[in-house]
Amino acid sequence: MTAVDPQPETAGRPQPEHLRILRLCAGPVAVAELAARLDLPVSVVVIMLCDLLEAGRITAHPPHPVTRTTPDLDLLQKVREGLGRL
Amino acid sequence: MAGSDTTAQESADRSAPDTVKILIAGGFGVGKTTMVGSVSEIAPLRTEEPLTLAGLDVDDLDGVEEKRATTVAMDFGRISVSDDLVLYLFGTPGQQRFWFMWNDLALGALGAVVLVDVRRPRTSFAAIDFFERRNIPFVIAVNGFYGEHPYPAEDIREALTLPEGVPVLLCDARERESSRDVLIALIDRLIAQAAPAAPAG
Ligand SMILES: Nc1nc2c(ncn2[C@@H]2O[C@H](COP(=O)(O)OP(=O)(O)O)[C@@H](O)[C@H]2O)c(=O)[nH]1
Ligand SMILES: [Mg+2]
């Protein structure tokens, strides 16, 4: 999820929760992380995100697809190296 | 394809880092929250998810009130692997009635760590079964409470009747490095599976 910048002027008045989501969405962030930071159930956050999507205030990125049958070796190696640096 | 399309795609790739996820599973009290917390760069975030009736084994529960009150806690951790790659960790209760959540979480996951309490290995049977049935790669991390490991890894492999090739690691979920090594073992296994033809090293 990423907030659209600049925000569309036509969009209606957002709820405080919506504004909090938009602030947290300044950079790409996962739905589960949003839910945890807002201390709201994932299902509630999903509903609010749908409202924001409809209003054109955020964009949704599909999670990086990682299929189990053909794991991306480059990606795995990157994760491996990153963890090694921790 | 037009050049402008490529540019738009490239800038989209730059703004959104790749994300990968690993599941941390195991029975109640095996140390899932502890492990997510020890290795995550953010304080472990917890989110309470109300359960819907559809996901529940209805025979499991007695009264409607109880069903309504049921929530499931999920641990969430994050590791910035690099500038453009983020690893998410998800820990969720291991009870069978929560498997419907695991089904969603398992989509697109790299694999799983099944934590085992060395004193009560059976509490993680359900989790092992879940990943085995779905062909999701996993490693076993034996959490030695009080920092002790009374049994060698091979004994635990036998006790859990694990399929061959599933790595068994002895760990301390409280220790960042130990938890990190468990994640590395999982990635190493995935790399080995992704490149069976390539010689190791
Ligand atoms: N002594 C000791 N306690 C641990 C260890 N790992 C977890 N704990 C404790 O065991 C309890 C259950 O751990 P928790 O991470 O909440 O388990 P979860 O239910 O799988 O999330 C907590 O009180 C932890 O502090 C360990 O390696 N040694
Ligand atoms: Mg927990």
Side-chain angles (χ1 to χ4, degrees), chain B residues 28-30 115-124 141-143 145:
Chain B
F28 182 76
V30 295
L115 269 172
V116 172
D117 180 342
V118 72
R119 305 161 302 180
R120 309 169 293 130
R122 285 173 180 282
T123 59
S124 290
V142 184
N143 192 14
F145 278 72

Side-chain angles (χ1 to χ4, degrees), chain B residues 170-189:
Chain B
L170 306 178
C171 78
D172 187 331
R174 299 165 300 179
E175 296 291 329
R176 178 183 163 89
E177 289 195 355
S178 180
S179 299
R180 178 204 62 190
D181 288 346
V182 168
L183 296 177
I184 288 177
L186 173 65
I187 300 297
D188 280 345
R189 173 157 167 78

Side-chain angles (χ1 to χ4, degrees), chain B residues 116-137:
Chain B
V116 172
D117 180 342
V118 72
R119 305 161 302 180
R120 309 169 293 130
R122 285 173 180 282
T123 59
S124 290
F125 270 163
I128 292 168
D129 190 53
F130 176 89
F131 295 115
E132 221 181 313
R133 276 171 199 269
R134 285 161 184 80
N135 259 323
I136 298 170

Side-chain angles (χ1 to χ4, degrees), chain B residues 43-58:
Chain B
L45 297 169
R46 311 210 72 209
T47 170
E48 296 282 330
E49 186 70 354
L51 294 184
T52 51
L53 278 176
L56 290 175
D57 184 351
V58 176

Side-chain angles (χ1 to χ4, degrees), chain B residues 8 16-17 25 27 34 42 79 84 89 109 111 135 142 144 163 182-183:
Chain B
T34 306
I42 52 172
I79 300 171
D84 56 356
L89 302 174
N135 259 323
V142 184
V182 168
L183 296 177

Side-chain angles (χ1 to χ4, degrees), chain B residues 32-33 46 75:
Chain B
K32 298 181 295 295
T33 304
R46 311 210 72 209
D75 305 305

